[in-house]
Amino acid sequence: MLTLEERIKALRAGACVLASASDSTRKQALECIASALEAHRAEIENANKLDIEKAEKEGISDSLLHRLKFSGDKIDSAVKGLRELSQLPDPIGKVREMRELDPGFVLKKVAFPIGVIAMIFEARPEALVQIAGLALRSGNAVVLKGGKEAEESNRTLVRIIDEATSSLIGDKWILGIESHADVNTMLGLDEDIDLVIPRGSNKFVSYVMEHTKIPVIGHSDGICSVYIDSSADIDMAVRIAVDSKVQYPAACNAAETILVHSEIAPRFLPLLGKTFSELGVKMHGDAETLKYIPSALKATEDDYHTEYLSLECAVKVVSSIEEAIEHIASHGSHHTDAIVTASEEAKELFFRTVDSADVFCNCSTRFADGFRFGLGAEVGISTSKIHARGPVGLDGLMTTKWLLSGHGETVSMYSGPDGRQFHHKELM
């Protein structure tokens, strides 16, 4: 039996097969996965049921339990996502720059797969399907380590995906691992893995970064804020705050803090408090907030640094947009932040100065998503400023190659006082 190191080394060959596979072959492989998920629905749901039963016995939190469930509509959505992903333009070979150095001497910068990607993610079986689909479409081999809570679901999904695609693209492009020991082994294989994308707690992401030489992208916390400006439309502001917090509170792009300008607070906060209370949202507010929402708990400084991932949030009244921006800078996680305003000036200031991967105006933070952005899906949201930032879809899983086509040119032809001159003509 092959060791984990040997199986991961074999992925390099699988990555080469994928990178050279035609667009139609990779599209067909995605359709094979979609069809296999439909055909094996009962098997997937039974495996997921075992995970849920075990998690409930162990007292898993409601937010994690919600993420863990993978049946019915979630399977339908995963299948739909794979088929929509197959319709996106082929990312491999996409020309990003093209320049003529001299007549007939053409340089191109083209997109090319990164190679072998390792993805460590939380207890969301649908995330495994999305990641596998994105890896296949972008021509990358992938190592998958899901949360232990979804062990049966993930094991079943990897096997079904592998079997569905082996006749088209081989069986060495996808590998599932399960133990912490496997993760530590994987993190040491910097010659075989090109990129690690961890999704989890701040502590875990820091652990990954400290224990590998492999490049790492991703985010730890999702402390997202919605700032209600003094000029905001009240009804719109309530609607956006509610959607940002309540639509899927366990998501990393759900709002955890609501910042409210003092001028609009007397009109906005009573409405927000009433609506949040009716929806079961627990609120932690500063002294000014408590004047308008007496049912709120008195907030501590830690509340504004907390990613609740549940029907709970912090609320704070600020005296200006500048104070809101400063609060986001000192308490946020550079993930997604939104402003609700009727002022173009306030919008532009917020866009220009909030240093987050996603900055929105007059819409919910929940739009920070690869599918909603038209990326097909996402492997995660990166708060890094290098390589990829925001939802990481197909483009974020690509690197580039420089391709230069000549007719016998040599550097000496362009050297010295009598050498030819480059004219560097842009062709796109």
Side-chain angles (χ1 to χ4, degrees), residues 255-269:
E256 306 294 11
T257 302
I258 310 297
L259 301 171
V260 185
H261 195 290
S262 56
E263 290 182 12
I264 203 171
R267 292 176 291 138
F268 172 76
L269 283 176

Side-chain angles (χ1 to χ4, degrees), residues 200-208 210 220-221:
S201 68
N202 197 321
K203 182 179 179 181
F204 173 68
V205 174
S206 296
Y207 175 87
V208 170
E210 291 167 4
S220 49
D221 295 330

Side-chain angles (χ1 to χ4, degrees), residues 28-218:
Q28 187 179 350
L30 285 171
E31 176 55 40
C32 287
I33 297 173
S35 298
L37 293 182
E38 292 177 323
H40 294 274
R41 179 186 292 267
E43 182 182 355
I44 294 167
E45 291 182 338
N46 285 336
N48 187 243
K49 184 179 178 182
L50 292 174
D51 286 329
I52 290 170
E53 290 173 351
K54 181 181 177 183
E56 288 177 334
K57 287 179 182 177
E58 294 176 354
I60 192 173
S61 69
D62 289 342
S63 61
L64 277 176
L65 190 63
H66 186 76
R67 292 182 178 203
L68 178 58
K69 292 179 180 178
F70 188 58
S71 60
D73 290 345
K74 283 192 175 182
I75 294 178
D76 292 339
S77 179
V79 168
K80 180 182 178 183
L82 287 168
R83 288 178 170 144
E84 291 179 347
L85 182 61
S86 72
Q87 299 307 307
L88 293 179
D90 186 3
I92 300 178
K94 182 179 179 181
V95 180
R96 296 186 177 179
E97 295 183 39
M98 185 160 60
R99 183 175 304 113
E100 190 177 65
L101 307 187
D102 208 6
F105 194 21
V106 177
L107 176 69
K108 294 180 182 179
K109 184 180 184 180
V110 302
F112 195 76
I114 287 173
V116 179
I117 295 169
M119 183 75 201
I120 311 171
F121 54 99
E122 71 280 24
R124 288 180 57 224
E126 71 262 36
L128 187 148
V129 177
Q130 290 178 357
I131 294 160
L134 284 166
L136 194 161
R137 188 75 183 104
S138 60
N140 291 288
V142 64
V143 185
L144 297 163
K145 169 62 174 78
K148 65 179 181 179
E149 300 86 355
E151 194 170 84
E152 292 292 339
S153 304
N154 291 339
R155 187 183 299 145
T156 300
L157 287 168
V158 169
R159 177 176 52 78
I160 289 171
I161 291 169
D162 195 13
E163 291 174 353
T165 58
S166 59
S167 63
L168 280 172
I169 53 177
D171 60 356
K172 293 182 175 62
W173 72 276
I174 184 169
L175 174 65
I177 63 174
E178 297 179 359
S179 71
H180 288 298
D182 286 347
V183 171
N184 289 330
T185 298
M186 178 187 74
L187 294 178
L189 300 177
D190 52 283
E191 293 186 0
D192 302 304
I193 297 173
D194 300 294
L195 179 68
V196 177
I197 306 176
R199 283 163 58 161
S201 68
N202 197 321
K203 182 179 179 181
F204 173 68
V205 174
S206 296
Y207 175 87
V208 170
M209 291 179 172
E210 291 167 4
H211 289 79
T212 188
K213 296 179 182 178
I214 305 168
V216 178
I217 64 170

Side-chain angles (χ1 to χ4, degrees), residues 16 42 89 98 149-150 153 199 219 228 230 237 241 250 267 289 305 320 344 348 371 379 400 422:
C16 290
M98 185 160 60
E149 300 86 355
S153 304
R199 283 163 58 161
H219 79 277
I228 311 302
S230 59
R267 292 176 291 138
T289 297
H305 289 279
S320 65
E344 190 68 22
E348 291 305 318
F371 174 74
V379 296
T400 56
F422 295 111

